[in-house]
Amino acid sequence: MMRCRLQLCVLGVMMLCSGLWSFTIRGVLGVLGTKMSLSLFTSFDLTTFLQSLSAIHTIEEINNSTLLPGIKLGYEVCDPCASPTKALHCVEHLLAINGSLPALVDYTDFRAPVKALLGERYSELSIAIAKLLSLYLHPQISCSSSSPVLSDKLRYPSFMRVIPSDVYQAQALVNLMSHFSWNWVGVVYGDDDYGRAAYQSFMEESQGKICADFEKVVPHYLDHVDMDKHIKDVAQSIQKSGAKVVLLILKPQLVEKLFKEMIQTNTSRIWIASDAWSMNRYLTKMKDINKVGKIFGFSFSMGIIPGFEDYLKNLRPTPGARNDFIEEYKQLRLNCSLSPSTCAVDDVLQAVDLREAYRERVAMYAFAHGLRALLTCNESVCSGDTNFPPWQVRFLHVNFTLDGNTYSFDENGDFADGYDLIMWKENNDERFIEIVGKFLLKNRDVEILSQFQWINHTKTADNHSHLSFILQLPWSKCSESCPPGSVKNQSKIPCCYNCVPCGEGNYTNDWDLPECLKCPDGMWSNKGDSECRKFEEKYLDWKDSYPITLLAATGIGLVLVLTSLIIFYVHRNTIVIKKAENTMSCFMLLGLAVSFISVIMFISRPNPHLCRAQQAVYGLGFTLCVSCILVKAYRTFLAFMAFDPDRQHELKKLYKPLINLVLLTGGQGIILLFWLIFKSPRPDLKWPGTGMVKYIVCDEGTIVGFGVMHGYIALLAFICFFLAFKGRKVPHDFNETGVIIFSMLIHLFVWLCFIPIYIDRNKTEQRHIVQASAILASNYGILFCHFVPKCYIVLWELSENSRGALMILLYLCTFLYIFILK
């Protein structure tokens, strides 16, 4: 069986950013370590060192497995020191054949010793490398370069990455801010390819959802001559802004400078970290880091590397290989043990989160599975040609399972898994990073893990939906939230608005809704309500104040009617009672009693029988009363016709009091009969168009029947008035023309006032109230004009008085009653 060595080169800032593999027909694993002078750097970068070790550990794991039987992967490390120029120099060195990079017309058969490249860490360097590698279609896999431009397969056809594009990071950031109702933020980004692209993606994704109160750009190069000036300018903008949330799309070194300025000015904000610094362990140990405020962010999906911690505890180069970085790290740690005060590097197990190196493991396995497919490997042998041009390794169709998770690339060469939502929690004087949620690309929403549901929405005492940590985290909104019952009235700025109460019949049941919802049928709401309710049904109930007033007035009226009847019967032989026609007066009192009783029928919940009885009882009772008055008026009119004996004789034939009463009242009976048969009154719900109350009233059924009934009474009253007015000059003792005129005027005036209210459709709920009041007014008008004065005379005049004195007293009582009515 042929044994082959596949050489991998790892480029990185200090230790890691990219890697590539090559085959040689040898039987052992060779390890080459190419390291640039550490004097160029201020410190030993443990994060990239750890990531390079993760790649090496994974290579050894693959070599010891049956994934690539007969194949051994090798690697070479090159450090570009975060410089695009040096990164290109590393690529030239790694692709060189016999010490130089050949210039060919056709690179189809270009067989570089390195088969793939892992890196770079920063997008700016990956873009520079990817442009060169696209000439050869040489595979490149990055674990942290997330710039959206790298998804362009026309410009960077051979670039792949095991993370999502920053386009999705922008979606994650916007969803995070929306999840916590932060729509008024500040944005600070670096002036490099990564920073500008991430900023642009965020602004496009947040359009109409999140608004930037300020946008600041910081130079990318750490040794920029005006760097301190730019940092101070950013700090001042943050302090002056009303935004309590600030998004930082910066390198960790720039974040450190900004945080130092914030700590110095005692400024606290909510910080949203981009993936460039969200997992930076050094920042978590900054002095006074707890003073800057809460920190959230997203990191690429992390995991635990099996056996990696034990590997680090027994760190040494692979047998037969050389790794200058491991030796340098061990020497620095030895110096720390000898002189702790001058320690230049911490223990990698304590200083760096091992989960950050998981992506390198995934990248190694992605290459291994791509190689397995190319070489048509099974469990025992790889039958393909190992001397292949690097462009033949295809990753787009790679789909593999690792540590229980399935991974694959999309059409742009990106991973489409998602991000971990992290929170920097306080731990004494430091912070520790904890995963509190997820943003999965398939769901496009922030999901809080079950053990951290305290971050989610909860119900407060007033049952309003708020964030449970509202007392810990300030709002960051242009406008205050609109409570249920109101909607946002948008201003020119998308995130700013005024709260406007919902009108009647509309509601909102949640915070910050854009428009009111209509109430379903049968329900309604008042202005500014947060829910719809069923209408309240209202009618003249026995326990309400106005019905009690009606009952009291009705009771007093009936007492007066009964008292008058008794007085008229007891004193029926007195001259006053005789002149008032005792029989007609008794029928009048009967009609008034029936009319008063009809008022009681307006109280209580209407039903079909009650509605019919209201109108029929009133119509018959008051018609009987007015008919009696008409008979009296007609008798007076006949006396007026004394100057024309022949005509008086003819008209006198019509004066049949009892027959007249039956005919006149019977006419109303016929009207009521037709009304009740064809379209009788019935209960109905009347709503004035506003408010939560619907009035249960008796609908007249047809306005014709209602109008004819009242018109008939009005006609009789007008005839009474006319006859009494004609006979007003009759020289007869106890002439009643005056009281007839006044009582009929009162009746006609009351019902004329009723007409406008009846016609007004907005006052339909008041009709029954007004009608009952009008009935009482008409009844009392007749009672006080026709009976009270006579009862007074009979009871309090002990002797027969002169005709003049009696007439004066009668008219005086009538005048006083009219004056009271006015």
Side-chain angles (χ1 to χ4, degrees):
M1 181 177 64
M2 181 175 62
R3 303 283 295 180
C4 297
R5 184 185 69 177
L6 183 62
Q7 186 177 350
L8 162 68
C9 178
V10 183
L11 270 72
V13 178
M14 287 303 301
M15 298 306 287
L16 173 68
C17 274
S18 53
L20 42 92
W21 298 260
S22 68
F23 280 103
T24 58
I25 310 301
R26 295 181 183 175
V28 296
L29 172 65
V31 182
L32 300 176
T34 303
K35 177 178 179 297
M36 295 188 175
S37 173
L38 286 175
S39 61
L40 297 175
F41 308 103
T42 58
S43 63
F44 191 93
D45 193 328
L46 286 178
T47 300
T48 49
F49 176 60
L50 177 75
Q51 291 167 339
S52 68
L53 294 177
S54 171
I56 295 171
H57 173 263
T58 305
I59 290 172
E60 295 179 2
E61 182 180 294
I62 293 172
N63 288 339
N64 295 326
S65 70
T66 59
L67 184 62
L68 296 172
I71 302 296
K72 293 295 181 180
L73 302 180
Y75 61 88
E76 184 175 0
V77 181
C78 185
D79 189 352
C81 303
S83 169
T85 303
K86 292 181 180 179
L88 290 172
H89 177 71
C90 283
V91 172
E92 182 182 4
H93 164 74
L94 296 168
L95 299 185
I97 299 176
N98 297 324
S100 65
L101 190 61
L104 304 175
V105 176
D106 184 2
Y107 289 95
T108 304
D109 199 39
F110 175 62
R111 300 172 188 266
V114 171
K115 301 304 182 183
L117 185 147
L118 177 64
E120 237 284 349
R121 182 182 186 186
Y122 296 121
S123 295
E124 184 180 20
L125 274 67
S126 286
I127 291 171
I129 296 172
K131 288 179 180 179
L132 176 59
L133 293 178
S134 64
L135 177 65
Y136 313 103
L137 293 180
H138 194 289
Q140 175 188 0
I141 305 179
S142 175
C143 300
S144 56
S145 297
S146 54
S147 174
V149 299
L150 290 168
S151 296
D152 188 348
K153 294 297 102 178
L154 293 177
R155 297 169 61 188
Y156 311 103
S158 60
F159 178 84
M160 313 292 286
R161 52 188 167 193
V162 292
I163 58 172
S165 164
D166 274 338
V167 170
Y168 300 110
Q169 180 182 212
Q171 293 180 7
L173 292 170
V174 171
N175 272 273
L176 173 66
M177 295 174 184
S178 300
H179 186 82
F180 292 141
S181 300
W182 297 326
N183 68 1
W184 195 242
V185 303
V187 182
V188 184
Y189 62 98
D191 189 17
D192 58 353
D193 291 336
Y194 166 77
R196 288 189 296 269
Y199 162 75
Q200 189 64 33
S201 298
F202 172 77
M203 296 307 292
E204 291 176 359
E205 184 67 28
S206 65
Q207 190 171 11
K209 305 173 186 175
I210 312 295
C211 299
D213 186 29
F214 65 88
E215 303 161 25
K216 288 293 181 178
V217 59
V218 178
H220 171 63
Y221 296 104
L222 301 178
D223 56 353
H224 192 280
V225 64
D226 292 326
M227 179 58 72
D228 291 340
K229 179 180 178 182
H230 283 282
I231 293 295
K232 287 184 179 295
D233 179 58
V234 171
Q236 290 177 359
S237 298
I238 294 173
Q239 293 165 14
K240 294 177 181 178
S241 172
K244 303 301 181 184
V245 174
V246 182
L247 170 62
L248 298 182
I249 310 173
L250 298 172
K251 286 182 177 181
Q253 296 88 338
L254 297 176
V255 175
E256 180 185 4
K257 289 179 178 291
L258 181 59
F259 276 2
K260 286 181 178 178
E261 190 67 28
M262 295 291 99
I263 293 170
Q264 185 177 353
T265 58
N266 197 26
T267 303
S268 175
R269 291 291 185 270
I270 299 173
W271 307 96
I272 306 297
S274 67
D275 57 68
W277 67 275
S278 61
M279 292 296 297
N280 189 277
R281 185 67 67 90
Y282 174 76
L283 290 176
T284 64
K285 301 179 182 299
M286 275 185 62
K287 182 181 179 182
D288 295 326
I289 184 63
N290 291 334
K291 293 182 179 180
V292 299
K294 303 294 182 181
I295 300 176
F296 289 90
F298 287 100
S299 70
F300 303 118
S301 296
M302 299 182 292
I304 303 298
I305 303 175
F308 188 44
E309 187 173 350
D310 292 335
Y311 172 81
L312 294 176
K313 290 178 180 179
N314 301 285
L315 188 59
R316 62 182 180 275
T318 304
R322 189 183 90 250
N323 193 318
D324 292 343
F325 295 106
I326 292 178
E327 297 303 325
E328 182 69 21
Y329 168 72
K330 287 188 173 182
Q331 184 61 45
L332 291 173
R333 288 303 300 159
L334 178 60
N335 295 338
C336 288
S337 62
L338 297 176
S339 179
S341 61
T342 61
C343 185
V345 62
D346 293 327
D347 185 356
V348 68
L349 287 169
Q350 303 298 326
V352 184
D353 192 332
L354 302 187
R355 297 173 298 176
E356 290 188 68
Y358 188 77
R359 296 186 299 276
E360 280 67 27
R361 172 179 172 83
V362 176
M364 290 297 104
Y365 269 94
F367 170 75
H369 280 277
L371 192 61
R372 178 183 174 88
L374 175 65
L375 300 181
T376 59
C377 300
N378 54 31
E379 296 301 320
S380 59
V381 66
C382 292
S383 59
D385 184 9
T386 57
N387 187 22
F388 58 87
W391 62 267
Q392 290 184 353
V393 182
R394 303 295 178 87
F395 293 107
L396 282 180
H397 303 295
V398 168
N399 190 311
F400 63 97
T401 300
L402 179 65
D403 302 328
N405 297 313
T406 301
Y407 298 97
S408 63
F409 294 93
D410 63 15
E411 65 275 8
N412 297 319
D414 304 330
F415 263 22
D417 49 354
Y419 300 90
D420 290 331
L421 173 62
I422 62 172
M423 181 179 180
W424 289 26
K425 293 187 175 181
E426 296 182 6
N427 182 24
N428 297 323
D429 294 333
E430 298 178 354
R431 298 286 182 100
F432 71 95
I433 299 172
E434 187 160 13
I435 299 174
V436 297
K438 295 281 186 181
F439 178 81
L440 301 179
L441 300 189
K442 61 181 179 181
N443 299 334
R444 302 293 173 89
D445 192 16
V446 172
E447 298 178 0
I448 305 299
L449 299 181
S450 58
Q451 62 267 38
F452 299 103
Q453 286 299 314
W454 59 269
I455 298 178
N456 265 330
H457 292 72
T458 59
K459 295 290 184 179
T460 57
D462 57 358
N463 289 328
H464 290 164
S465 179
H466 282 293
L467 297 177
S468 63
F469 58 94
I470 186 65
L471 298 178
Q472 303 176 36
L473 297 182
W475 289 104
S476 189
K477 304 185 72 173
C478 178
S479 305
E480 290 293 330
S481 292
C482 292
S486 63
V487 291
K488 298 188 293 187
N489 182 22
Q490 202 68 50
S491 66
K492 294 181 180 179
I493 302 175
C495 301
C496 302
Y497 49 83
N498 296 318
C499 297
V500 179
C502 291
E504 290 193 18
N506 298 276
Y507 73 103
T508 54
N509 56 5
D510 205 349
W511 291 74
D512 289 335
L513 292 184
E515 60 182 14
C516 297
L517 307 173
K518 288 188 177 181
C519 289
D521 294 339
M523 304 185 76
W524 198 250
S525 65
N526 289 321
K527 184 177 181 180
D529 276 358
S530 59
E531 62 180 359
C532 295
R533 304 186 302 275
K534 291 185 177 180
F535 284 98
E536 177 188 352
E537 294 182 353
K538 192 172 183 179
Y539 51 87
L540 291 180
D541 196 10
W542 294 98
K543 62 179 179 294
D544 294 339
S545 58
Y546 190 77
I548 292 175
T549 304
L550 290 180
L551 284 174
T554 300
I556 294 172
L558 288 173
V559 169
L560 290 176
V561 167
L562 181 60
T563 302
S564 299
L565 182 62
I566 294 173
I567 292 173
F568 268 56
Y569 177 77
V570 172
H571 299 278
R572 60 186 178 277
N573 295 320
T574 61
I575 188 172
V576 175
I577 302 303
K578 287 181 179 180
K579 294 295 182 181
E581 294 190 52
N582 190 35
T583 302
M584 288 296 103
S585 296
C586 289
F587 278 115
M588 281 180 65
L589 290 172
L590 176 62
L592 286 176
V594 173
S595 184
F596 272 120
I597 291 172
S598 71
V599 174
I600 301 176
M601 299 177 181
F602 284 86
I603 305 173
S604 187
R605 185 185 181 92
N607 59 61
H609 301 296
L610 203 59
C611 290
R612 297 188 188 102
Q614 288 175 3
Q615 305 301 333
V617 171
Y618 163 70
L620 289 174
F622 202 77
T623 300
L624 175 62
C625 181
V626 175
S627 298
C628 293
I629 296 174
L630 179 59
V631 171
K632 290 184 176 184
Y634 189 70
R635 187 191 66 174
T636 305
F637 179 73
L638 290 177
F640 170 74
M641 296 296 296
F643 62 87
D644 189 353
D646 295 334
R647 191 175 180 185
Q648 183 187 46
H649 180 71
E650 294 295 327
L651 292 175
K652 199 170 184 179
K653 294 178 181 179
L654 300 176
Y655 181 67
K656 307 292 183 181
L658 294 179
I659 296 176
N660 295 149
L661 284 182
V662 173
L663 292 176
L664 293 173
T665 307
Q668 184 70 285
I670 294 173
I671 293 172
L672 291 171
L673 183 63
F674 276 98
W675 182 15
L676 297 179
I677 289 175
F678 290 103
K679 201 168 185 181
S680 64
R682 63 188 184 280
D684 192 18
L685 281 174
K686 298 294 183 180
W687 181 51
T690 182
M692 292 298 302
V693 178
K694 280 190 174 182
Y695 297 88
I696 306 178
V697 298
C698 290
D699 184 75
E700 62 275 3
T702 172
I703 192 172
V704 176
F706 186 81
V708 171
M709 181 195 77
H710 283 278
Y712 184 78
I713 296 174
L715 177 63
L716 295 182
F718 181 77
I719 294 174
C720 291
F721 171 81
F722 176 78
L723 295 177
F725 186 79
K726 281 289 188 180
R728 69 187 183 281
K729 295 183 180 180
V730 174
H732 194 281
D733 290 343
F734 306 107
N735 187 357
E736 290 189 282
T737 56
V739 294
I740 293 174
I741 290 173
F742 283 122
S743 62
M744 293 302 100
L745 282 177
I746 291 172
H747 171 75
L748 293 174
F749 176 77
V750 167
W751 289 99
L752 282 174
C753 293
F754 171 71
I755 292 175
I757 298 176
Y758 184 84
I759 295 175
D760 190 352
R761 307 303 298 181
N762 294 324
K763 297 182 178 180
T764 54
E765 76 282 358
Q766 298 180 10
R767 290 179 182 174
H768 59 298
I769 298 176
V770 175
Q771 186 178 5
S773 302
I775 293 172
L776 287 175
S778 298
N779 289 350
Y780 273 105
I782 293 175
L783 197 60
F784 277 93
C785 287
H786 288 266
F787 295 99
V788 172
K790 293 181 177 62
C791 291
Y792 176 81
I793 294 172
V794 170
L795 293 177
W796 277 273
E797 292 295 335
L798 300 178
S799 59
E800 291 285 336
N801 293 311
S802 63
R803 182 177 59 191
L806 290 174
M807 293 301 296
I808 291 173
L809 183 59
L810 182 62
Y811 282 114
L812 180 60
C813 292
T814 305
F815 173 79
L816 288 174
Y817 175 70
I818 298 298
F819 177 79
I820 293 172
L821 286 179
K822 291 183 178 181

